[in-house]
Amino acid sequence: MSANTEGGRKRSWFSILTMTFLCLLWTVPTLGLLVSSFRPRIDIERNGWWTALFNFFDTTWTTSNYSNVLTQKDMAGSFVNSIVVAVPATILPIMFAAFAAYAFTFMSFRGKDVLFVLIVALMVVPIQAAFVPLLTLLGPDGLDINGEYLAVWILHTGFGMPLAIYTIRNYMSTLPRTVIESAKIDGATHFQTFWRLIVPMSVPVLAAFAILQFLWVWNDLLIALLFLGSGDKSTVIVNLASLLGTQGQGAELLTAGAFISMLVPLLVFFGLQRYFVRGLTAGAVKG
Amino acid sequence: MKQVSTKSEDSASVAEPPPPPAPRRGGRTYEEIEAVNSKQRKVKLAVGTVGLVVSLYVVVTVFQALALFADDIPRLLQGVIAVIAGVGGAALLFYFINMVVEGFPRRFSEGVIPYAFLLPAMLLIGVMLIYPTVQTINFSFADADSEVYVGLQNYIDVFQDPDFQESIFNNILWLIIVPAVTVVIGVVVAVLADNLSTNGEKISKSFIFVPMAISFVGAAAIWSLIYQYDPPGDTQTGLLNAIWVGLGNLVGASVEPVAWLSVSTFSLNDILLMVIVIWLQAGFSMILLSSAIKGVPEETIEAARIDGANEFQIFRQVVIPQIRGTMITVFITVLIMVLKIFDIVYVTTNGRDGTNVIANLFFQEIFRTGDNGIASAIVVILLIAVMPVLIYQVRHFRREETER
């Protein structure tokens, strides 16, 4: 059952049907959320979201879930919090990691292999292993920054470091060494070589890692919950997690809240998909 | 080195007839240049050190101020300040470190520069990862407040705790099912998509891939609409129960709706939670495997076809061996993720009805009992469980490096 298509590809009906089915299966859950988020509370409790979809023009549609979750549950504030957390926590690790990756790629020094193996190993270590001492270190008896953005910025920067160094170094080691050699002959210092040559040449991997790290920080629950709490500094994800526990009154806000939390990742995803895929393929393992 | 100065004189004399070239450097001896250089070095060393101290001081002060006056500064402004102070501070830090190192005698400086570039990153890794991990291992042998060593008592307590036994069992279940199924779905989707038209492939891959951008918490919200339970007699608003009850009516049997996430028979609720994670991760698996499959040389497939192999044999004996490496990569990535699975369990069942897992138990232990010893012991067990993967990763890396 196969025929050749334009590109000399074989088209099989089995593939077309199965893929259509799988695509539906993968889309229906999200579609349900989207439809539900625009339905009034009474309707949500009366029948399933698909009823609204099949009677599209006889259904009451409302945006009140969105306005309510933004104001009553302060999802608007959480949205700002998430941005304030995610942007520095994305840029800072890249900065530090790029310098380290440069050293690992273009310099030779004692202990290089041991240090890099350590970094490979640390990528696999679960971050939970660090939490108990860090709660003390950042808590009232230590630096006393627990509950501040600062704590989360530092943590994400530290935890993101091994993967960042690993990914960026892997890319840098594919850059032509002759360029660096000739820069050296021209009398450029390492600092100049790094900024004027290596950073511009590494933009693809820096962008790819930035997207990966941004999504990771934005979607993170554990660190935000432990070190930022569910008070007025809660991120959208922490806020959404507390909405998930709501029963009865206010349960309809969950769907709108969930969509708000997904908005930025989806935009990033569709806008920068190429970089995102490259980032995924480059640094597959994350501890 | 002397040659350099004579050479510059030579070139100066050759260039004599036309108007003299701009500033003349000629006439200096080697010693004079060295003297100037060493003077420059001293300046660099001094300026660099001062700059390093000042910029460190400024950055620390800015961040301290941010923490102190957090409630008085608008949130967005805090973020902007953090980015400027953090990135600018880091740039200045590296700039001055570099300057100091260049101020050292040349030979010494060449040896030190790598460490200067590594220092900030390694410091962060040391403080945020290595120190706390070692300390956790240490705490796991001490009491609840980490004051008195209690030997292996925490481990004995943990292993005798029925909650822990249940969590370990569930974690193993997750480990057996999720990575393997994710890899299989990835392969199947990649192969099927490969048989579609170019546009069909692109579009269908995007559909499977979208959940990759969604958080575990978001996914839990999405799937709560599917696993929703309404009492018997009510209209079922959850998709799964609507189908379940609808099918029951179709065959004429009266079927009760099910509270899916409470059914612990055959770990059904665990498996339903796994479905969510597989739904999230399939896109990742597919993307990696798809590019691996496209990398399989056409000649090898053609050769097998000429030998009379059917499509299934070709796939099993020609394609699979060539994408095995990628399959292992995907498998291990998902394995590591599953080993410390937390979010999805925390927000859906919070470990009720026999669904607890180690990472969630750890979280409960921190907050419920605040027992550092027990919590640390649980994490150390997790750490030990990761060891085989860690060793594999390091070996794999070593092998790749030698092939480079």
Side-chain angles (χ1 to χ4, degrees):
Chain A
M1 280 276 251
S2 59
N4 284 327
T5 58
E6 350 67 74
R9 279 159 167 264
K10 276 190 289 163
R11 175 193 282 162
S12 82
W13 288 107
F14 174 75
S15 295
I16 293 175
L17 288 178
T18 325
M19 270 312 270
T20 313
F21 175 72
L22 283 174
C23 286
L24 270 177
L25 212 61
W26 250 254
T27 319
V28 162
T30 321
L31 184 71
L33 184 82
L34 182 64
V35 171
S36 294
S37 71
F38 288 107
R39 300 181 74 205
R41 186 192 145 100
I42 306 170
D43 288 4
I44 290 178
E45 284 173 1
R46 196 183 298 146
N47 48 38
W49 57 266
W50 53 91
T51 331
L53 206 57
F54 293 145
N55 309 294
F56 195 87
F57 296 103
D58 296 332
T59 306
T60 340
W61 298 103
T62 173
T63 53
S64 68
N65 292 340
Y66 283 91
S67 50
N68 285 344
V69 82
L70 283 171
T71 52
Q72 286 169 23
K73 302 288 178 187
D74 198 26
M75 197 50 107
S78 296
F79 196 83
V80 175
N81 287 337
S82 277
I83 291 176
V84 173
V85 165
V87 173
T90 304
I91 299 174
L92 290 179
I94 291 179
M95 184 89 185
F96 291 115
F99 272 99
Y102 177 89
F104 276 121
T105 320
F106 300 113
M107 294 168 161
S108 51
F109 52 91
R110 275 177 66 116
K112 180 173 163 176
D113 290 338
V114 176
L115 277 182
F116 204 76
V117 163
L118 183 72
I119 282 169
V120 172
L122 282 174
M123 287 198 303
V124 183
V125 170
I127 54 175
Q128 279 95 341
F131 281 165
V132 174
L134 282 178
L135 279 169
T136 320
L137 182 70
L138 304 180
D141 300 332
L143 296 170
D144 198 15
I145 52 168
N146 201 348
E148 306 293 345
Y149 297 123
L150 180 57
V152 192
W153 292 330
I154 299 177
L155 287 170
H156 280 301
T157 306
F159 292 154
M161 198 58 61
L163 182 74
I165 296 176
Y166 179 78
T167 316
I168 298 172
R169 189 210 83 130
N170 275 359
Y171 183 86
M172 281 185 180
S173 59
T174 63
L175 297 176
R177 281 186 160 266
T178 48
V179 179
I180 287 90
E181 295 300 327
S182 55
K184 206 173 188 179
I185 291 165
D186 289 347
T189 64
H190 279 298
F191 193 73
Q192 289 165 329
T193 315
F194 174 79
W195 275 118
R196 304 218 180 117
L197 281 173
I198 303 302
V199 169
M201 285 161 88
S202 306
V203 165
V205 74
L206 298 182
F209 181 80
I211 292 166
L212 211 62
Q213 172 82 358
F214 181 85
L215 284 183
W216 195 68
V217 174
W218 185 279
N219 286 340
D220 159 73
L221 172 70
L222 190 52
I223 295 174
L225 197 60
L226 270 174
F227 294 92
L228 215 46
S230 46
D232 62 345
K233 287 210 181 68
S234 65
T235 61
V236 279
I237 297 299
V238 173
N239 197 334
L240 183 64
S242 61
L243 281 181
L244 264 166
T246 319
Q247 296 287 331
Q249 188 81 34
E252 76 279 9
L253 302 182
L254 172 70
T255 51
F259 230 85
I260 292 168
S261 84
M262 285 156 52
L263 200 64
V264 172
L266 285 178
L267 280 178
V268 168
F269 176 81
F270 281 115
L272 305 161
Q273 193 168 354
R274 205 156 42 95
Y275 283 113
F276 181 63
V277 171
R278 198 179 295 163
L280 272 185
T281 1
V285 189
K286 164 114 195 175
Chain B
M1 275 295 190
K2 276 230 156 120
Q3 283 168 340
V4 176
S5 59
T6 47
K7 207 178 174 192
S8 76
E9 273 166 12
D10 279 353
S11 63
S13 65
V14 169
E16 202 61 62
R24 270 176 58 122
R25 297 183 70 218
R28 277 188 187 155
T29 63
Y30 170 67
E31 284 74 20
E32 276 171 335
I33 293 173
E34 259 311 285
V36 171
N37 276 354
S38 105
K39 206 173 169 189
Q40 275 178 348
R41 263 198 227 115
K42 276 177 189 150
V43 173
K44 273 187 174 174
L45 196 61
V47 174
T49 316
V50 173
L52 194 60
V53 173
V54 170
S55 55
L56 255 180
Y57 178 77
V58 170
V59 170
V60 170
T61 313
V62 167
F63 277 103
Q64 254 177 352
L66 268 187
L68 270 176
F69 304 112
D71 302 327
D72 306 328
I73 309 171
R75 288 185 272 204
L76 274 177
L77 185 63
Q78 285 192 47
V80 173
I81 294 174
V83 170
I84 293 172
V87 175
L92 278 178
L93 212 68
F94 280 113
Y95 181 77
F96 287 124
I97 287 177
N98 189 67
M99 197 185 254
V100 170
V101 174
E102 279 179 2
F104 294 144
R106 174 151 285 255
R107 220 196 228 162
F108 187 56
S109 126
E110 275 296 307
V112 171
I113 276 203
Y115 300 106
F117 272 49
L118 284 175
L119 185 71
M122 285 326 232
L123 215 62
L124 269 164
I125 288 179
V127 176
M128 292 291 132
L129 282 167
I130 297 172
Y131 154 74
T133 305
V134 172
Q135 190 71 297
T136 297
I137 298 172
N138 188 16
F139 282 174
S140 75
F141 298 109
D143 67 349
D145 304 316
S146 317
E147 279 164 353
V148 185
Y149 282 105
V150 294
L152 290 173
Q153 195 54 47
N154 289 325
Y155 291 92
I156 295 168
D157 290 350
V158 165
F159 275 106
Q160 281 171 350
D161 179 7
D163 283 349
F164 178 79
Q165 291 161 5
E166 173 199 306
S167 303
I168 276 277
F169 173 79
N170 286 335
N171 261 88
I172 293 172
L173 206 61
W174 277 83
L175 286 177
I176 294 172
I177 296 175
V178 177
V181 173
T182 310
V183 170
V184 169
I185 290 185
V187 172
V188 168
V189 173
V191 169
L192 289 176
D194 209 33
N195 285 334
L196 299 178
S197 66
T198 321
N199 279 333
E201 177 176 358
K202 222 187 276 172
I203 294 165
S204 57
K205 273 179 167 177
S206 302
F207 273 112
I208 308 283
F209 198 46
V210 168
M212 273 304 294
I214 298 172
S215 61
F216 285 110
V217 185
I222 290 174
W223 284 77
S224 72
L225 295 177
I226 292 183
Y227 297 151
Q228 169 77 31
Y229 166 80
D230 296 287
D234 288 13
T235 316
Q236 292 301 318
T237 59
L239 187 60
L240 196 55
N241 265 326
I243 294 172
W244 176 249
V245 173
L247 279 181
N249 288 343
L250 213 62
V251 285
S254 99
V255 178
E256 297 271 292
V258 182
W260 297 104
L261 293 184
S262 305
V263 182
S264 53
T265 323
F266 297 118
S267 299
L268 179 68
N269 45 9
D270 279 315
I271 291 166
L272 291 175
L273 292 182
M274 292 178 202
V275 168
I276 305 181
V277 173
I278 293 168
W279 177 77
L280 278 174
Q281 294 292 318
F284 163 75
S285 172
M286 170 206 70
I287 286 289
L288 259 69
L289 287 162
S290 178
S291 65
I293 287 175
K294 287 191 191 306
V296 173
E298 194 63 39
E299 302 93 78
T300 57
I301 295 171
E302 226 25 77
R305 199 164 280 146
I306 291 166
D307 288 347
N310 64 34
E311 291 299 312
F312 182 71
Q313 283 172 323
I314 290 175
F315 182 71
R316 247 196 59 190
Q317 287 161 16
V318 181
V319 177
I320 290 280
Q322 296 191 66
I323 62 168
R324 181 174 285 144
T326 313
M327 285 168 76
I328 293 173
T329 305
V330 174
F331 187 88
I332 287 196
T333 309
V334 180
L335 186 92
I336 294 169
M337 189 210 64
V338 160
L339 207 62
K340 55 194 179 60
I341 192 89
F342 164 74
D343 302 25
I344 202 81
V345 176
Y346 174 77
V347 294
T348 51
T349 62
N350 198 13
R352 280 186 305 272
D353 303 309
T355 54
N356 220 358
V357 287
I358 292 186
N360 194 53
L361 187 71
F362 163 74
F363 190 86
Q364 289 171 336
E365 214 57 56
I366 291 184
F367 282 99
R368 195 173 57 197
T369 57
D371 189 325
N372 281 353
I374 298 279
S376 299
I378 293 174
V379 171
V380 171
I381 293 165
L382 200 62
L383 209 56
I384 294 169
V386 181
M387 277 304 147
V389 183
L390 191 148
I391 291 164
Y392 173 84
Q393 278 303 110
V394 169
R395 279 207 183 141
H396 182 72
F397 166 74
R398 281 258 165 86
R399 215 170 32 239
E400 272 193 342
E401 284 303 289
T402 48
E403 280 167 12
R404 218 175 252 267

